[in-house]
Amino acid sequence: PVVFSARGIHKSYGSTEILKGVDLELRRGEHVAIVGPSGSGKSTFIRCLNLLERPDQGSIALLGEPVFDAEHPGRGMKQRDLRKRVGMVFQSFNLFTTHTALQNVSLAQRRALGRSRVEADERSRDLLTRVGLGGHLGSLPSQLSGGQQQRVAIARALALDPQIMLFDEPTSAIDPEMRNEVLSVMRDLAEKGMTMVVVTHELQFAERAADRMLFLADGEVLESGSPREVLHSP
Ligand code: ADP
Ligand code: ADP
């Protein structure tokens, strides 16, 4: 079954058309990697998928429910509601710097889902342990490496029990030697059947973990297919 679909997504900044009609359909448990040159619109596209950017044209649906429809603005979903269902991991982690790892993961659940502190903390401990940070619950972001901070951010997103996860260049701001610990958490999620969209420059990761790859150039999908087809096409 189709979990998520985006059709004909257009987006301009001023008079510059950044996205020229991009389509994406995700089946349950599918992992799609979006690759392409810098400036091609990858980040703009993934931000449109959870309405961090508002598309100018096109429509988006999650499990058949309208998320966004440029032709029927009243039919959309509130960004607030969407955020619980579509988890997002950013290049720059976006953690609260004055909060510990545990507090960062708990706060999101208490705010978005209204979970009690006890409930949220318990879930946070489980998730942080699962991403290898059981020994760092009380650490502030500044006491953690980039790879560790990004794993906190992944735990925070997972804590809301999202139906799909979006990753926007999750390892680009991390030292190369720390990237693997993040990629391995992502591979693990993929193996467990999470539906995922990943914008990345890590072609090796994309080739191994993705079922399908979109090659975006100048705001259009130039290639779409298995990683092998896309990476080795002439
Ligand atoms: P990619 O992720 O593929 O590197 P982006 O989606 O970040 O590409 O950017 C595509 C283009 O859109 C770039 O030329 C960028 O400068 C421009 N852009 C991105 N965000 C904005 C914005 N908020 N205002 C104006 N231009 C933007
Ligand atoms: P608010 O103060 O509106 O409750 P939050 O503190 O929950 O916002 O989030 C702060 C920022 O983190 C948001 O502006 C947004 O950019 C980002 N963010 C957090 N979670 C998500 C998500 N699941 N999808 C999109 N953006 C998110």
Side-chain angles (χ1 to χ4, degrees), residues 17-30:
E17 198 177 20
I18 304 295
L19 298 176
K20 302 172 179 170
V22 180
D23 298 310
L24 173 68
E25 197 162 90
L26 279 169
R27 290 183 298 275
R28 192 185 305 285
E30 200 176 15

Side-chain angles (χ1 to χ4, degrees), residues 13 18 36-45 53 168-169 199 201 216:
Y13 292 118
I18 304 295
S38 169
S40 55
K42 303 182 297 296
S43 181
T44 302
F45 180 63
E53 303 286 348
D168 188 4
E169 301 206 14
V199 169
H201 290 288
L216 209 64

Side-chain angles (χ1 to χ4, degrees), residues 30-219:
E30 200 176 15
H31 322 124
V32 172
I34 302 180
V35 301
S38 169
S40 55
K42 303 182 297 296
S43 181
T44 302
F45 180 63
I46 205 168
R47 292 167 63 85
C48 280
L49 295 181
N50 68 354
L51 303 185
L52 281 176
E53 303 286 348
R54 208 184 150 73
D56 300 322
Q57 288 176 51
S59 62
I60 302 172
L62 176 62
L63 291 166
E65 269 182 72
V67 165
F68 175 85
D69 188 341
E71 313 240 301
H72 305 277
R75 277 189 205 162
M77 210 178 271
K78 291 204 172 67
Q79 213 227 27
R80 222 187 139 66
D81 296 325
L82 190 62
R83 266 198 213 168
K84 298 176 206 167
R85 302 175 61 181
V86 179
M88 179 91 176
V89 174
F90 300 90
Q91 187 172 338
S92 54
F93 325 134
N94 291 6
L95 299 176
F96 290 108
T97 55
T98 55
H99 288 53
T100 64
L102 184 82
Q103 288 168 336
N104 265 285
V105 179
S106 289
L107 193 65
Q109 296 169 67
R110 296 174 64 198
R111 277 203 194 164
L113 304 180
R115 282 188 187 145
S116 71
R117 179 190 293 270
V118 172
E119 233 180 340
D121 283 356
E122 187 180 321
R123 176 101 167 105
S124 302
R125 267 192 289 272
D126 283 351
L127 280 165
L128 285 166
T129 302
R130 184 167 142 197
V131 299
L133 295 175
H136 297 275
L137 303 177
S139 302
L140 293 170
S142 59
Q143 298 168 316
L144 298 172
S145 71
Q148 291 172 326
Q149 291 183 61
Q150 192 60 299
R151 284 181 284 151
V152 174
I154 294 173
R156 175 180 60 182
L158 291 175
L160 304 188
D161 303 315
Q163 286 152 335
I164 75 172
M165 286 278 288
L166 308 179
F167 295 84
D168 188 4
E169 301 206 14
T171 57
S172 297
I174 298 172
D175 291 337
E177 62 273 22
M178 311 277 186
R179 286 179 186 164
N180 257 329
E181 53 198 29
V182 172
L183 294 174
S184 113
V185 166
M186 292 170 62
R187 260 194 304 269
D188 188 49
L189 263 182
E191 277 163 22
K192 292 203 160 81
M194 176 63 79
T195 308
M196 293 165 57
V197 182
V198 184
V199 169
T200 185
H201 290 288
E202 309 258 6
L203 293 184
Q204 213 183 37
F205 167 80
E207 185 164 19
R208 287 206 208 135
D211 306 307
R212 198 148 53 86
M213 196 177 265
L214 299 189
F215 183 86
L216 209 64
D218 202 15

